Amino acid sequence: MKLKLTIDPDIVAIMQAEIAAGQRAVTTAMREAGAGLKSAWRSQITRAGLGTRLGNSIRLATYPRGSESLNAAALVWSNAPVIVGAHDAGPLIRSRNGFWLAIPTPAAGKSTRGGRITPGEWERRSGLRLRFIYRRRGPSLLVAEGRLNSKGRAVASRAKTGRGLTTVPIFLLVPQVKLRKRLDLARDAERAIDGVPGRIVAGWRE
């Protein structure tokens, strides 16, 4: 006597289909969560007045690439982690050599290399010498004897008589600066993480 057992529907096929549905749901959820977090971080950076260039430093990568998995993951990061991290943490900044932090005034202009100009670079470019002025109240100063051009930048005076010559503050000197916290990246990251389970369930049901 022979017994034949047939299970209808096919359990193996059902399980394979369920696993495939789970892979699609998890992968889609992680891609959506990563894209949402990238957009949120970029928006937060630009709203804080830090510029679209810094906002565009936020990048996204999802894994595995080109396939679906129950272990899918998303990675969101910045190509400028030091700058973004500083505005996110609001650290206390001190001079490396323990003396002063030189903060350029509008009369100093900008560095040719990008970012803030240093006293050494300013002297080389302008041909003027900086003079230290200590103040008991408020920041001390590095000043130069020159004139302001049409752009409000300090330049050497061309007049031999000294006409138009004035003392121009070029740098403010402070022992330390507390950078204002302008970002809260953890808040958006927590929201993205909290939303993942719901995304997975919704995608799996579909």
Side-chain angles (χ1 to χ4, degrees):
M1 182 173 61
K2 294 182 179 181
L3 296 176
K4 183 178 181 180
L5 179 62
T6 300
I7 301 177
D8 188 23
D10 188 340
I11 292 180
V12 174
I14 291 175
M15 292 303 298
Q16 289 176 341
E18 196 68 17
I19 291 173
Q23 291 174 334
R24 286 193 300 271
V26 173
T27 302
T28 299
M30 295 310 300
R31 288 173 179 168
E32 291 177 349
L37 180 57
K38 182 184 77 171
S39 177
W41 278 5
R42 285 187 172 185
S43 177
Q44 190 178 154
I45 290 171
T46 54
R47 286 201 312 269
L50 300 175
T52 56
R53 183 176 180 181
L54 186 61
N56 289 338
S57 73
I58 302 301
R59 295 287 190 266
L60 165 66
T62 55
Y63 304 94
R65 298 183 179 182
S67 61
E68 298 172 338
S69 171
L70 290 173
N71 296 317
L75 175 64
V76 182
W77 77 97
S78 171
N79 282 338
V82 175
I83 300 174
V84 172
H87 288 291
D88 186 44
L92 185 66
I93 302 175
R94 294 186 175 91
S95 171
R96 292 180 180 177
N97 55 23
F99 291 102
W100 303 95
L101 286 173
I103 303 174
T105 68
K110 296 181 179 179
S111 172
T112 57
R113 297 171 295 181
R116 291 181 174 178
I117 190 170
T118 64
E121 181 185 356
W122 189 89
E123 286 187 328
R124 289 191 299 271
R125 283 176 50 188
S126 67
L128 298 173
R129 296 289 296 175
L130 291 168
R131 179 164 55 89
F132 174 73
I133 296 181
Y134 174 75
R135 298 198 300 176
R136 299 178 67 180
R137 294 184 179 181
S140 296
L141 304 172
L142 286 178
V143 303
E145 306 301 323
R147 65 180 179 85
L148 294 177
N149 64 14
S150 60
K151 296 182 179 180
R153 308 285 173 77
V155 295
S157 176
R158 298 174 182 173
K160 295 182 179 180
T161 60
R163 183 179 179 182
L165 197 67
T166 184
T167 300
V168 183
I170 308 299
F171 291 91
L172 305 179
L173 299 177
V174 294
Q176 61 188 29
V177 173
K178 181 68 169 67
L179 189 65
R180 180 168 63 91
K181 179 177 171 63
R182 304 172 75 175
L183 303 173
D184 189 354
L185 301 182
R187 177 194 63 202
D188 289 336
E190 290 172 359
R191 288 176 180 173
I193 293 172
D194 291 343
V196 168
R199 292 179 183 273
I200 293 175
V201 172
W204 207 320
R205 287 176 178 173
E206 293 177 0

